[in-house]
Amino acid sequence: MARSSKAAVSAAGARVIAMRGAGYYSSNTAGAKQVIDSAAELALSAIAGMALPADGRPFAIADYGAADGGTSLDMMRRLVGAVRARDGGLPVSLTYTDLPSNDFSALFSLLQAEGGEGREGGLGREPGVFVFGSGTSFYRQILPDATLHLGFSATAMHWLSRSPGPIAGHTHAVGAAPEERAAYRAQSLADWDTILLARARELVPGGVLVMANFCVDENGHYLGWTGGVNMHDRFAAHWRALQDEGTITEAEHRAAALQQYYKTAEEFAAPFRDPASAVSLAGLRLERVFTRVTPCPYRAAFEQHGDAASFARSYIPTLRSWTESTFLSALDPARGPERRRAIVDRFYDLYEAEVAASPAGHAMDYVHCFMVIRKV
Amino acid sequence: MARSSKAAVSAAGARVIAMRGAGYYSSNTAGAKQVIDSAAELALSAIAGMALPADGRPFAIADYGAADGGTSLDMMRRLVGAVRARDGGLPVSLTYTDLPSNDFSALFSLLQAEGGEGREGGLGREPGVFVFGSGTSFYRQILPDATLHLGFSATAMHWLSRSPGPIAGHTHAVGAAPEERAAYRAQSLADWDTILLARARELVPGGVLVMANFCVDENGHYLGWTGGVNMHDRFAAHWRALQDEGTITEAEHRAAALQQYYKTAEEFAAPFRDPASAVSLAGLRLERVFTRVTPCPYRAAFEQHGDAASFARSYIPTLRSWTESTFLSALDPARGPERRRAIVDRFYDLYEAEVAASPAGHAMDYVHCFMVIRKV
C-alpha cells in the first residue's frame, strides 16, 4: 500500500524510490482502492457543484502519484460519467502524474486497452477522453496556470521530497528519536506547503482538490499501527535481525529509513487556519477534513478463512510493494543485484514466517486524512 | 533508424512492435537527429508566422512517435526559445506521444533531469514549460479539439496501423510482389488519411504540422537503397540464410515482414491535391513538400577512418534498433526468450560479418519527404 512510493526527487542526492512495475502494485493494493472509492464520493460532489468550462477547453482532471492507474480507474470512470451527465459534449482530460521511474507503459496499456468480447475498452479510448502522463514530481507545478478543474491524490503525499536523514535503530519516523522526528516533521510541513502552492497555480478558480493522505489520527493511530502489532516496529526488528545474523552491515542497517512522514489532521489543516499563510493567500480554502480508518482487507479475509500461512502470503506482498525499494537501495551496490535481491527476499520471508507462525494482531489498516480543498 | 517503430496497434491481431528502450534508440540514431534538426527550420518558420494564444492557454507543441525524446530534444529547446522570444510569459506545453510500450521513463528522465555542475537541466524543468506523455497511437486523436499549435513528427509514420499480411520471400514491402505491395500501399494510404484527420481535429486554426517521413523519392531511392547495396534485400537474404541453415523454420521465415510502407511525395500530397477529399474538407493545406537524402552518418565516418570492422560494429546496431522486434516476434514463442534472442543475435552477426568483410556500398542513407501542413 501507499499508492505511489514515488516521492519527488528534489535534491541531487535524493534517494531512489520506485514501485514494482507491471501491475504488481495495483493487484496487491486492494485496500488502497477502497480508500479511493470513498474519496470518489467527495470528488463526485465537487463536480456536481462546479462551473463547467464553456470556452471549449476540456474539463481537466489530474491524479497525483497515480502509479499504474489501476486503483483509481473505477473512480475515473465515475468522474468522467459525472461530467458527461452534465455536459455530454465536454472533452475531459485525465493527467496521471508520478515520478519518471513510474511504469507509464503499464498505465497507458491499462487506459488504452482495446475492448472486445466481454472486455471493456480502456477509459482513454472513450470519445472525447484524452489521457496524459506526466513524469513530474508533485512537488513542482505540473499543469499550466489555471487549467485544472479537479485534482485528486490518494496515499501518495506521505513521501517526502528528500530524506531528512537516517533514523537510529528504526526504519520509519514513527519510531524515531525526538530530534530525528522533528527533522522529518519539518520536511513534511515544508513539502505540504510546496505541494499546495503548486496546485494553487494549476487550479481554475472554483476548482477543487480531493485528497486522501496517510495521517496520524485522533487516537494516535497510523498506517501499520491501529492497536495491534506495530508494522513499522516489525520492519525495524527484522531489518535489525539481518544485521544481528551478519547478513547486512551496520552501514546498510543504518541506511534504511523510509522517506515518509504521517501528519496529523491538524498539521494538514494548519496552512488553511492561518489567513496570512502563503497557502491561504494563494486562494486555497479547506472545505472538509476528516480522518478514517480503512480495515486491512488481507486481515479481514483472514478473519473469514483462518489460514495463517495464506494470510501471510497475501499480506507481505502488499507491504513489500511500497517498502522494497527503500530496503534494496540501502544495500551496498557492490553486492550486485542478485545478492541484494536475495537479502531483501530473506527480509520479507522472515516477516512472512512471523505472521504465519503468529498471525494475531497483524494488520495494515489504512489511516487516512480526507480533505476537500477549493481554490477561490 | 526509423525514429519510432511504434506503429499504432489498431486491430486486435496487430503485431507487437517495440523499440529497444533506455536510450538505446537515440544514441544509435545520429542520422535521425540530423533530419529533425533540418525539420526544425521549418518549425521555427511556422512559429514565427503564427498567431500566438492570447487567452492564457499554453502554446501547445506535440511530437508524434517521439520514442525517448532524445533526437528531438535540441529542436524542442529551439522551438520553446522561439515562442519565448515572441512572448516571454507564454506557457508552453510539450506532448510526447508514442505507443504504450514506449519507454516513457527514459523520456521523462531526460526531460526532467536535474541540472548541476556543467550539466543543463531537463527542458521540462524550465519555468513555464509543461511536459506530458501520451501512450496513444497517432492513428487516434490524442489532443482535444483545437488545442494544438505545432505538431511535429519525424521518421515514424511509415509504420502501418496493422499488418497487410505476409510478404513471400522478402521482409519489406519494397521487395514484395505486386499484389502484396498493393495491399501495403492501400493500408498506408488509408492510414495517412486517418493520421491527417486526427491532426485536423487537434490543430487550432492557423496551426501547423511539420513532418519528415520516410518516402520513395524521385529517383526511386528509399531508406536503405540509394544506389549501393540494398539494405532491405540484405535483411531478406540473411533471414533466408537462417532458414537455409535450419536455424529457423519456414513458418518463422514467412512471419517476418516489417509493418511498413514508404510512400512517394505524390502519395503524401494526394489528399491535399483533391479539394473534395476529407483531408481538404477538414481544413488541411499542404504548404511545402520536398524530399531530401540525408547521408548515413556511419558510412560518412567510415569514409574518414577506413576501418571496416569498426564501421560494421557501429552500423548494425542502428539497423537493429528498429528491426529487432519484428524479427524477434517472428520466432516461435515456444523457443523461449533466450533462444529467440540468440537467433536474432546470429542474424545481426551475419549481417555485421558481411559488412566487415565487404563494406563497399553499405549505407543507410535516410530518404525523407518533408512537409509543412497548415490548418485553415
Side-chain angles (χ1 to χ4, degrees), chain A residues 324-370:
Chain A
E324 181 183 47
S325 65
T326 295
F327 291 106
L328 263 179
S329 67
L331 298 175
D332 188 341
R335 292 185 183 276
E338 284 184 33
R339 179 63 191 141
R340 293 165 77 207
R341 167 73 47 193
I343 291 172
V344 169
D345 281 347
R346 173 159 175 73
F347 174 63
Y348 293 104
D349 286 348
L350 285 172
Y351 200 159
E352 182 178 327
E354 176 193 348
V355 174
S358 173
H362 286 281
M364 193 180 67
D365 298 333
Y366 307 120
V367 184
H368 277 91
C369 179
F370 288 74

Side-chain angles (χ1 to χ4, degrees), chain B residues 3-23:
Chain B
R3 187 154 160 258
S4 166
S5 74
K6 314 303 181 42
V9 176
S10 73
R15 311 267 297 284
V16 172
I17 297 178
M19 301 301 296
R20 292 188 60 165

Side-chain angles (χ1 to χ4, degrees), chain B residues 146-189:
Chain B
T147 57
L148 174 67
H149 296 85
L150 185 82
F152 174 82
S153 187
T155 317
M157 294 173 173
H158 54 297
W159 292 96
L160 303 177
S161 66
R162 61 184 199 83
S163 171
I167 297 171
H170 211 280
T171 54
H172 197 281
V174 296
E179 63 276 22
E180 291 165 347
R181 205 180 128 66
Y184 275 74
R185 178 175 187 272
Q187 185 64 50
S188 179
L189 299 185

Side-chain angles (χ1 to χ4, degrees), chain B residues 228-248:
Chain B
V229 173
N230 188 309
M231 175 191 70
H232 285 298
D233 288 349
R234 300 318 302 150
F235 277 132
H238 288 297
W239 193 243
R240 162 66 64 182
L242 290 185
Q243 188 194 341
D244 290 345
E245 71 183 21
T247 300
I248 65 173

Side-chain angles (χ1 to χ4, degrees), chain B:
Chain B
M1 221 236 355
R3 187 154 160 258
S4 166
S5 74
K6 314 303 181 42
V9 176
S10 73
R15 311 267 297 284
V16 172
I17 297 178
M19 301 301 296
R20 292 188 60 165
Y24 181 93
Y25 181 71
S26 283
S27 58
N28 285 292
T29 52
K33 184 171 177 316
Q34 288 181 23
V35 171
I36 292 179
D37 290 345
S38 300
E41 301 301 327
L42 302 174
L44 288 166
S45 294
I47 289 174
M50 198 180 297
L52 300 182
D55 59 358
R57 302 194 200 202
F59 187 90
I61 300 174
D63 182 352
Y64 297 91
D68 64 15
T71 50
S72 67
L73 184 59
D74 288 350
M75 181 194 75
M76 286 296 199
R77 284 195 188 279
R78 295 174 68 193
L79 300 187
V80 169
V83 173
R84 286 291 155 76
R86 291 189 57 198
D87 181 346
L90 193 62
V92 179
S93 72
L94 308 178
T95 303
Y96 290 83
T97 86
D98 215 305
L99 289 187
S101 55
N102 186 48
D103 190 347
F104 283 98
S105 290
L107 172 76
F108 288 126
S109 295
L110 179 72
L111 292 166
Q112 304 293 4
E114 294 183 67
E117 306 263 334
R119 234 175 342 116
E120 195 172 22
L123 180 57
R125 299 187 82 88
E126 291 201 6
V129 174
F130 302 94
V131 170
F132 304 95
S134 176
T136 308
S137 156
F138 49 59
Y139 291 109
R140 294 171 48 214
Q141 185 175 346
I142 299 173
L143 297 161
D145 287 7
T147 57
L148 174 67
H149 296 85
L150 185 82
F152 174 82
S153 187
T155 317
M157 294 173 173
H158 54 297
W159 292 96
L160 303 177
S161 66
R162 61 184 199 83
S163 171
I167 297 171
H170 211 280
T171 54
H172 197 281
V174 296
E179 63 276 22
E180 291 165 347
R181 205 180 128 66
Y184 275 74
R185 178 175 187 272
Q187 185 64 50
S188 179
L189 299 185
D191 280 353
W192 182 228
D193 268 7
T194 302
I195 288 169
L196 290 172
L197 294 174
R199 303 295 83 77
R201 290 191 292 276
E202 294 168 349
L203 283 165
V204 298
V208 169
L209 299 175
V210 174
M211 293 183 173
N213 285 312
F214 282 153
C215 70
V216 178
D217 75 5
E218 299 74 5
N219 300 311
H221 290 163
Y222 48 81
L223 172 78
W225 186 65
T226 45
V229 173
N230 188 309
M231 175 191 70
H232 285 298
D233 288 349
R234 300 318 302 150
F235 277 132
H238 288 297
W239 193 243
R240 162 66 64 182
L242 290 185
Q243 188 194 341
D244 290 345
E245 71 183 21
T247 300
I248 65 173
T249 65
E250 164 59 25
E252 290 173 323
H253 179 266
R254 202 173 44 240
L258 284 153
Q259 193 173 304
Q260 300 186 346
Y261 182 83
Y262 304 145
K263 286 186 284 294
T264 63
E266 275 313 301
E267 288 169 338
F268 277 116
F272 303 96
R273 306 287 191 225
D274 174 7
S277 74
V279 167
S280 292
L281 294 175
L284 295 188
R285 303 290 180 263
L286 182 62
E287 297 198 337
R288 292 191 65 182
V289 56
F290 60 91
T291 67
R292 189 194 293 160
V293 177
T294 305
C296 175
Y298 301 98
R299 178 78 202 177
F302 172 59
E303 307 288 354
Q304 297 297 315
H305 62 63
D307 179 342
S310 165
F311 168 49
R313 271 198 309 278
S314 65
Y315 179 62
I316 297 303
T318 195
L319 274 59
R320 181 170 186 156
S321 72
W322 57 274
T323 54
E324 181 182 49
S325 65
T326 295
F327 292 106
L328 263 179
S329 67
L331 299 175
D332 188 340
R335 292 185 183 277
E338 283 183 35
R339 180 63 191 142
R340 293 165 78 206
R341 168 72 47 192
I343 291 172
V344 169
D345 282 346
R346 173 158 174 75
F347 174 63
Y348 293 105
D349 286 348
L350 285 172
Y351 200 159
E352 182 178 327
E354 176 194 349
V355 174
S358 173
H362 286 282
M364 193 180 68
D365 298 332
Y366 308 120
V367 183
H368 277 91
C369 179
F370 289 75
M371 282 168 281
V372 177
I373 296 163
R374 189 177 299 270
K375 169 91 180 279
V376 294

Side-chain angles (χ1 to χ4, degrees), chain A residues 217 220-230 293-294 361 363-367:
Chain A
D217 76 3
H221 290 164
Y222 49 81
L223 172 78
W225 185 66
T226 45
V229 174
N230 188 310
V293 176
T294 305
M364 193 180 67
D365 298 333
Y366 307 120
V367 184

